Amino acid sequence: MTTIRRFCCNDLLRFSSVNLDHLTETFNMSFYMTYLARWPDYFHVAQGPGNKIMGYIMGKVEGQGESWHGHVTAVTVAPEYRRQQLAKKLMNLLEDISDNIDKAFFVDLFVRASNAPAIKMYDKLGYVVYRRVLRYYSGEEDGLDMRKALPRDVEKKSIIPLKRPVTPDELECWWTKITGVARDHNVSDLRDFGYVLMGSVV
């Protein structure tokens, strides 16, 4: 039986096996603690028999006006527990919180342009490519900004695709999104910070 519950501090000592996938980035403890402190509603773990961690999702809510949205910072499932729709359940939970509690207009995420399995899954969940961000990952690989409109965005303005790719410096709220957390971690190169979506989830 699978239980989905809030991520807690003790889980930081138990979830390393989930992060073994080469597409899943592991940050230092203070990064995860920041999310636990600021956005606890957006940090959940899927737990299986024997209290083994099967996967987790980490996100936040941010923006202003019609850009107020939920954001998926990381979602990943351990290889042995994939193809059980765990990622879908975790994504649905974050979407429900964004919609029903925070009244967001949309949910967004970033994914490597080469991560075809994840892109396919997000497409099935109703996400569309809003824009391509050039050299988003460590200045090397492009990222795709994918979005899903929530009921509050009646006209679905948030998911109208941009006609051209953008650079990381052009992202709205780029500074607001990561500078505060990066400062806490003494990171000087923001594009190497690894803020973006991580994980292989199918």
Side-chain angles (χ1 to χ4, degrees):
M1 180 178 179
T2 302
T3 300
I4 295 179
R5 59 167 175 77
R6 277 192 181 183
F7 201 96
C8 65
C9 292
N10 289 339
D11 293 325
L12 293 172
L13 305 175
R14 303 170 52 238
F15 80 142
S16 58
S17 61
V18 181
N19 284 1
L20 293 178
D21 186 280
H22 71 284
L23 291 174
T24 300
E25 233 174 304
T26 300
F27 298 111
N28 59 43
M29 291 291 187
S30 58
F31 182 87
Y32 298 107
M33 291 297 290
T34 297
Y35 272 76
L36 278 173
R38 295 185 179 179
W39 305 284
D41 289 340
Y42 286 78
F43 207 164
H44 284 81
V45 62
Q47 182 174 284
N51 295 326
K52 187 171 183 179
I53 292 181
M54 306 165 71
Y56 66 90
I57 190 167
M58 177 172 66
K60 56 179 159 180
V61 62
E62 59 189 356
Q64 296 180 345
E66 293 185 352
S67 291
W68 178 247
H69 67 283
H71 175 74
V72 182
T73 301
V75 57
T76 190
V77 174
E80 63 268 32
Y81 296 114
R82 291 176 186 168
R83 303 191 184 282
Q84 298 181 31
Q85 298 194 342
L86 279 180
K88 178 180 179 181
K89 293 176 182 177
L90 291 168
M91 291 288 291
N92 287 343
L93 176 59
L94 187 142
E95 292 168 10
D96 287 343
I97 293 170
S98 299
D99 179 22
N100 298 318
I101 296 179
D102 290 308
K103 308 301 180 184
F105 285 85
F106 62 94
V107 172
D108 80 338
L109 56 87
F110 288 80
V111 61
R112 290 179 182 272
S114 63
N115 194 348
I119 294 171
K120 182 178 180 181
M121 187 201 74
Y122 298 133
D123 179 72
K124 289 181 178 179
L125 293 178
Y127 286 78
V128 300
V129 176
Y130 172 68
R131 57 190 168 184
R132 189 181 191 96
V133 186
L134 302 174
R135 300 177 300 280
Y136 190 62
Y137 289 84
S138 300
E140 298 176 359
E141 183 176 355
D142 292 355
L144 300 181
D145 178 358
M146 301 187 73
R147 295 184 175 187
K148 180 177 182 177
L150 296 177
R152 190 177 181 187
D153 182 8
V154 178
E155 299 179 7
K156 300 190 182 304
K157 295 179 182 178
S158 63
I159 60 173
I160 299 175
L162 294 188
K163 296 181 179 181
R164 67 172 182 85
V166 300
T167 65
D169 293 333
E170 293 179 273
L171 295 179
E172 71 264 72
C173 300
W174 170 257
W175 188 260
T176 301
K177 287 180 177 180
I178 62 175
T179 309
V181 178
R183 187 189 310 115
D184 295 337
H185 299 273
N186 298 315
V187 176
S188 58
D189 187 342
L190 296 181
R191 277 173 290 186
D192 284 340
F193 184 53
Y195 153 84
V196 294
L197 180 74
M198 307 157 290
S200 178
V201 295
V202 294

